[in-house]
C-alpha cells in the first residue's frame, strides 16, 4: 500500500509522519483496511490488514459495534480500544466517521500506555496450589499465563500428546476471559474434555486485570440428562438448579409481559386466562423436575397448525414488548404429528429468547419470522431472526451442553431444544451468518 493509492478524502499531508503521530485508516465494513497513513502502514506490517486483528481479543466485539455504529450515521463516533503496538499494550482512542463516498475513516492516537508490571506468582503460593486437588491457572491482561499448577500442566500435556491437537481449555478460557473483562464479573462454566466434565470457576481481579481459574473434575456422566440431574442435586436448596430456573424463566417472562400489557391496556380480563395457564405450566414444570421423570413425555397426535397457532399469541406479546416485528406464516396441513405440546412450546420460546437476547438494543427493524411448511413426510418449521448472527467459533461449539457466550447464560437452551426434537424423532438444524442473522430449521415427521 503506498500513498499513491490513498483515497482522496484523506489529505496527503496528514500522512507526513513529521506532522502527526496519528494512525489513520480507511476501512470497509468488514474491517479490511483499504488505505492508511505511515503509522497505519507500520501496524499493518505487524498485524495484517484486518483492523480487528490490531486490537486485543476482548475488544474485538466492541470494535465491531463501533464500525457498525459509524456506518449508520454521519456523525463522528469515538471510542477507546486496547491495542498492541511494538509489543506493548496501549489505549488507543479511535474517532471514526463516514465520508461522502461512504468510506469509513478512522483516526487513532495513543492515549496512555498501560503499565505492564510483570507479576510474579509467590513461590510459597505455587507450592500450595500444586498440592491442592483442583487445577489452577492465573492469566494476565493479555491472556498470557502467569502461573499454572502442576496438575493443569500435566493434563494439558497428556491431552495434547494423545490427541496431537490444540490446547484443551484454550477456547473456553479465552471465551470466559472476554466476558469477564467486558462485564467485570466472575463467572463459571462447565466444559467437556473427552468423557470428563470440568467445572471451571473464573475470578476477575479488577485492580490488575488478571483472571484466575480453578478447574474441578466432575465425576464421569454419560448422558446430558444425568448431568442436569447431577446439577440439580449439587445446587443447595436456596440456589435453584440452572436447568430448573431456566425452564421457569420462560413462563415467568410471559406472565410478566401479560401483566405489563394489561396495565397498558387497562384490561385484566383479556389476559387473565393466559396468565393462569402459564402459572399451571410452571406447576407442571415443577412437578416434572421434582419427580425427575422427564423421560416419559405425554405425546399425542395433533395437527401442526393448531399447535403452532396456539403458541403464536405468546410469541406475539413477547415481540410486542421488545419492539420486534413478528412475521408468521403457518401452512395448514391435514396430517398429524405426534408431539408433546408443552415441550414443543418450550423449544419455540427458547429459540425466541435467544433471538431477543441476541438483538443489539440500537438495532432497527428487529424481525422474528416463524414459517411452517408441509412436505411429503414431515412438517418443517423455519424460525429466522435478523440479529447479529454467530461467528464460526460459536457455531462450532453450539451442540455442546453448557456452551454459552452470555454472562448469565447456562448454555442449556439449545441442547435442550435439540434433545426435545430428537425425542420427537425430528431434526434440528442451525444456520447463522455473522451480521445477517440466524435460522433454525425443525423437521417433525408426520404420523
Ligand atoms: N439467535 C441467536 N443469535 C445469535 N446467537 C445465538 C442465537 N441463539 C443462540 N446463540 C448463541 O448460542 C449460545 C448458546 O445458546 P443456548 O440457548 O444454548 O444458551 P444460552 O442462551 O447462552 O443460555 P441459556 O439458554 O441456558 O440461558 C448463546 O450463548 C449465543 O452465543
Ligand atoms: Mg438460550
Amino acid at each position: 500500500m503506498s500513498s499513491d493509492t490513498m483515497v482522496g478524502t484523506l489529505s496527503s499531508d496528514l500522512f507526513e509522519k513529521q506532522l502527526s503521530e496519528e494512525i489513520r485508516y480507511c476501512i470497509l465494513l468488514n474491517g479490511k483496511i483499504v488505505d492508511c497513513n505511515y503509522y497505519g502502514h507500520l501496524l499493518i506490517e505487524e498485524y495484517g490488514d484486518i483492523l480487528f486483528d490490531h486490537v486485543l481479543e476482548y475488544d474485538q466485539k466492541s470494535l465491531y459495534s463501533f464500525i457498525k455504529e459509524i456506518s449508520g450515521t454521519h456523525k463522528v463516533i469515538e471510542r477507546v480500544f486496547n491495542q498492541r503496538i511494538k509489543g506493548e499494550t496501549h489505549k488507543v482512542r479511535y474517532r471514526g466517521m463516514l465520508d461522502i463516498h461512504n468510506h469509513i475513516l478512522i483516526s487513532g492516537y495513543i492515549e496512555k500506555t498501560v503499565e505492564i508490571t510483570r507479576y510474579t506468582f509467590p513461590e510459597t503460593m505455587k507450592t500450595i496450589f500444586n498440592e491442592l486437588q483442583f487445577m489452577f491457572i492465573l492469566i494476565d491482561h493479555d491472556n498470557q499465563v502467569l502461573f499454572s499448577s502442576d496438575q493443569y500442566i500435566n493434563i494439558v500435556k497428556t491431552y495434547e500428546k494423545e490427541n496431537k491437537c490444540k490446547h484443551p481449555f484454550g477456547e473456553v478460557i479465552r471465551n470466559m476471559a472476554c466476558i469477564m473483562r467486558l462485564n467485570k464479573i466472575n463467572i463459571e462454566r462447565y466444559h467437556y474434555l473427552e468423557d470428563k466434565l470440568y467445572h471451571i470457576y473464573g475470578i476477575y481481579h479488577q485492580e490488575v486485570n488478571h483472571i484466575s481459574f480453578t478447574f474441578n473434575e466432575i465425576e464421569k456422566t454419560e448422558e446430558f440428562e444425568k448431568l442436569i440431574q447431577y446439577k440439580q442435586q449439587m445446587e443447595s436448596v436456596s440456589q435453584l438448579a440452572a436447568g430448573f430456573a431456566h425452564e421457569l424463566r420462560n413462563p415467568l417472562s410471559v406472565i410478566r409481559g401479560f401483566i405489563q400489557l394489561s396495565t397498558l391496556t387497562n384490561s385484566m380480563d383479556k389476559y387473565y386466562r393466559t396468565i393462569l395457564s402459564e402459572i399451571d405450566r410452571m406447576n407442571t414444570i415443577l412437578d416434572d423436575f421434582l419427580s425427575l421423570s422427564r423421560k416419559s413425555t405425554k405425546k399425542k397426535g395433533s395437527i401442526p397448525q393448531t399447535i403452532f397457532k396456539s403458541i403464536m399469541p405468546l410469541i406475539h406479546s413477547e415481540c410486542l414488548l421488545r419492539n420486534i416485528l413478528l412475521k408468521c406464516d403457518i401452512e395448514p396441513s391435514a396430517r398429524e404429528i405426534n408431539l408433546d405440546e408443552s415441550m414443543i412450546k418450550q423449544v419455540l420460546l427458547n429459540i425466541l429468547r435467544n433471538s431477543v437476547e441476541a438483538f443489539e438494543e440500537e438495532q432497527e427493524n428487529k424481525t422474528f419470522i416463524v414459517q411452517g411448511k408441509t412436505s411429503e413426510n414431515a412438517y418443517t418449521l423455519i424460525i429466522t431472526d435478523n440479529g447479529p448472527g454467530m461467528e464460526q467459533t460459536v457455531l462450532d461449539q453450539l451442540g455442546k451442553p453448557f456452551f454459552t457466550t452470555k454472562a448469565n447464560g447456562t448454555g442449556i437452551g439449545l441442547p435442550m431444544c435439540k434433545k426435545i426434537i430428537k425425542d420427537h424423532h425430528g431434526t434440528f438444524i442451525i444456520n447463522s451468518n455473522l451480521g445477517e442473522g440466524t435460522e433454525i430449521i425443525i423437521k417433525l415427521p408426520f404420523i
Side-chain angles (χ1 to χ4, degrees):
M1 199 170 309
S2 78
S3 53
D4 302 333
T5 63
M6 281 164 191
V7 177
T9 41
L10 295 176
S11 160
S12 63
D13 53 342
L14 278 175
F15 288 105
E16 292 299 323
K17 62 176 178 174
Q18 292 90 340
L19 291 184
S20 160
E21 292 226 333
E22 270 190 356
I23 308 156
R24 290 184 170 239
Y25 302 115
C26 174
I27 63 164
L28 304 179
L29 196 57
N30 62 8
K32 187 170 169 54
I33 302 168
V34 288
D35 211 341
C36 63
N37 70 347
Y38 175 79
Y39 284 98
H41 187 66
L42 290 183
L43 290 173
I44 288 177
E45 279 182 351
E46 204 166 346
Y47 300 104
D49 63 354
I50 302 295
L51 191 58
F52 292 108
D53 298 333
H54 291 218
V55 300
L56 295 194
E57 202 170 325
Y58 55 86
D59 269 353
Q60 288 177 348
K61 200 169 169 198
S62 149
L63 178 61
Y64 175 74
S65 67
F66 174 69
I67 294 173
K68 234 173 113 184
E69 211 176 314
I70 297 170
S71 66
T73 169
H74 278 279
K75 288 189 200 134
V76 175
I77 312 278
E78 204 171 301
R79 207 165 295 168
V80 177
F81 297 94
N82 292 295
Q83 185 166 346
R84 301 274 304 163
I85 297 177
K86 294 198 187 96
E88 280 184 14
T89 302
H90 293 275
K91 288 214 175 298
V92 179
R93 180 167 291 274
Y94 278 3
R95 305 183 77 212
M97 69 173 293
L98 264 191
D99 73 359
I100 45 166
H101 309 291
N102 279 343
H103 296 123
I104 298 170
L105 304 181
I106 289 184
S107 70
Y109 64 89
I110 297 172
E111 202 167 63
K112 163 179 148 222
T113 308
V114 178
E115 284 294 317
I116 307 177
T117 37
R118 190 101 186 139
Y119 176 78
T120 34
F121 204 66
E123 286 301 319
T124 43
M125 294 296 279
K126 285 186 186 171
T127 322
I128 295 172
F129 275 101
N130 284 335
E131 288 304 317
L132 293 174
Q133 286 296 312
F134 55 81
M135 301 189 289
F136 175 87
I137 66 162
L138 178 70
I139 59 169
D140 70 3
H141 62 283
D142 219 2
N143 289 356
Q144 300 298 317
V145 177
L146 295 172
F147 170 72
S148 47
S149 67
D150 288 347
Q151 297 95 311
Y152 180 85
I153 296 171
N154 289 341
I155 294 229
V156 171
K157 271 194 187 149
T158 319
Y159 182 84
E160 286 180 340
K161 200 168 145 202
E162 282 171 9
N163 295 277
K164 293 188 186 56
C165 62
K166 58 181 185 169
H167 196 293
F169 299 111
E171 189 83 37
V172 66
I173 288 178
R174 273 196 296 277
N175 182 278
M176 286 175 77
C178 183
I179 294 175
M180 292 167 77
R181 290 205 171 97
L182 267 179
N183 302 287
K184 303 196 180 346
I185 50 167
N186 303 338
I187 57 174
E188 59 180 334
R189 285 282 184 278
Y190 288 86
H191 180 71
Y192 269 121
L193 188 58
E194 308 204 311
D195 56 351
K196 293 201 175 100
L197 180 73
Y198 289 92
H199 174 255
I200 310 176
Y201 190 71
I203 300 176
Y204 178 58
H205 308 278
Q206 192 171 347
E207 337 67 68
V208 278
N209 203 358
H210 291 171
I211 298 175
S212 59
F213 295 94
T214 53
F215 299 70
N216 274 302
E217 187 186 323
I218 292 179
E219 71 182 46
K220 188 177 163 185
T221 40
E222 274 153 16
E223 287 171 51
F224 179 46
E225 257 169 302
K226 284 191 196 145
L227 277 177
I228 301 230
Q229 285 179 17
Y230 177 84
K231 201 160 159 42
Q232 286 173 330
Q233 288 152 9
M234 290 299 286
E235 309 274 16
S236 65
V237 184
S238 60
Q239 275 177 307
L240 281 178
F244 176 61
H246 185 269
E247 296 229 2
L248 287 182
R249 214 175 326 166
N250 283 331
L252 266 180
S253 71
V254 172
I255 292 174
R256 187 172 191 280
F258 272 89
I259 290 180
Q260 265 177 293
L261 266 185
S262 63
T263 350
L264 280 177
T265 54
N266 231 346
S267 78
M268 187 66 179
D269 302 353
K270 235 163 114 187
Y271 307 113
Y272 172 78
R273 269 176 200 286
T274 321
I275 292 175
L276 259 193
S277 82
E278 285 306 295
I279 290 174
D280 289 344
R281 193 152 71 88
M282 288 173 71
N283 258 329
T284 321
I285 294 169
L286 267 167
D287 287 345
D288 275 357
F289 267 89
L290 290 177
S291 61
L292 288 176
S293 62
R294 310 193 74 231
K295 274 177 213 153
S296 54
T297 50
K298 298 145 266 157
K299 292 190 195 123
K300 64 174 200 274
S302 322
I303 293 172
Q305 65 267 30
T306 327
I307 302 291
F308 298 129
K309 282 198 174 147
S310 80
I311 301 168
M312 288 330 279
L314 293 180
I315 295 188
H316 184 69
S317 71
E318 188 75 8
C319 288
L320 203 69
L321 277 168
R322 298 184 188 270
N323 200 18
I324 299 170
L325 176 70
L326 171 68
K327 288 186 190 163
C328 171
D329 178 14
I330 303 284
E331 194 178 285
S333 157
R335 295 177 65 183
E336 289 187 338
I337 334 175
N338 197 19
L339 49 78
D340 176 338
E341 188 176 340
S342 131
M343 286 290 152
I344 293 293
K345 214 166 169 178
Q346 279 297 337
V347 171
L348 282 177
L349 290 177
N350 262 316
I351 294 173
L352 172 69
R353 203 158 59 76
N354 275 347
S355 298
V356 165
E357 287 167 354
F359 279 124
E360 280 160 23
E361 213 164 87
E362 63 275 7
Q363 183 179 332
E364 285 171 12
N365 307 322
K366 296 176 199 163
T367 314
F368 187 76
I369 307 172
V370 184
Q371 281 173 290
K373 288 193 172 116
T374 53
S375 59
E376 201 181 325
N377 302 317
Y379 195 82
T380 308
L381 267 186
I382 305 161
I383 305 159
T384 325
D385 70 45
N386 63 346
M390 292 175 236
E391 290 170 30
Q392 192 56 43
T393 48
V394 173
L395 274 172
D396 289 344
Q397 311 217 45
L398 267 195
K400 293 185 190 164
F402 307 120
F403 169 75
T404 178
T405 59
K406 298 169 193 168
N408 301 318
T410 40
I412 57 177
L414 287 177
M416 220 175 231
C417 291
K418 281 190 174 171
K419 187 185 172 300
I420 292 172
I421 298 301
K422 197 169 154 224
D423 286 347
H424 283 79
H425 309 291
T427 55
F428 189 95
I429 297 171
I430 304 171
N431 299 317
S432 188
N433 282 324
L434 196 61
E436 288 175 20
T438 301
E439 171 192 70
I440 292 177
I441 305 173
I442 299 172
K443 238 182 198 176
L444 293 163
F446 286 125
I447 296 174

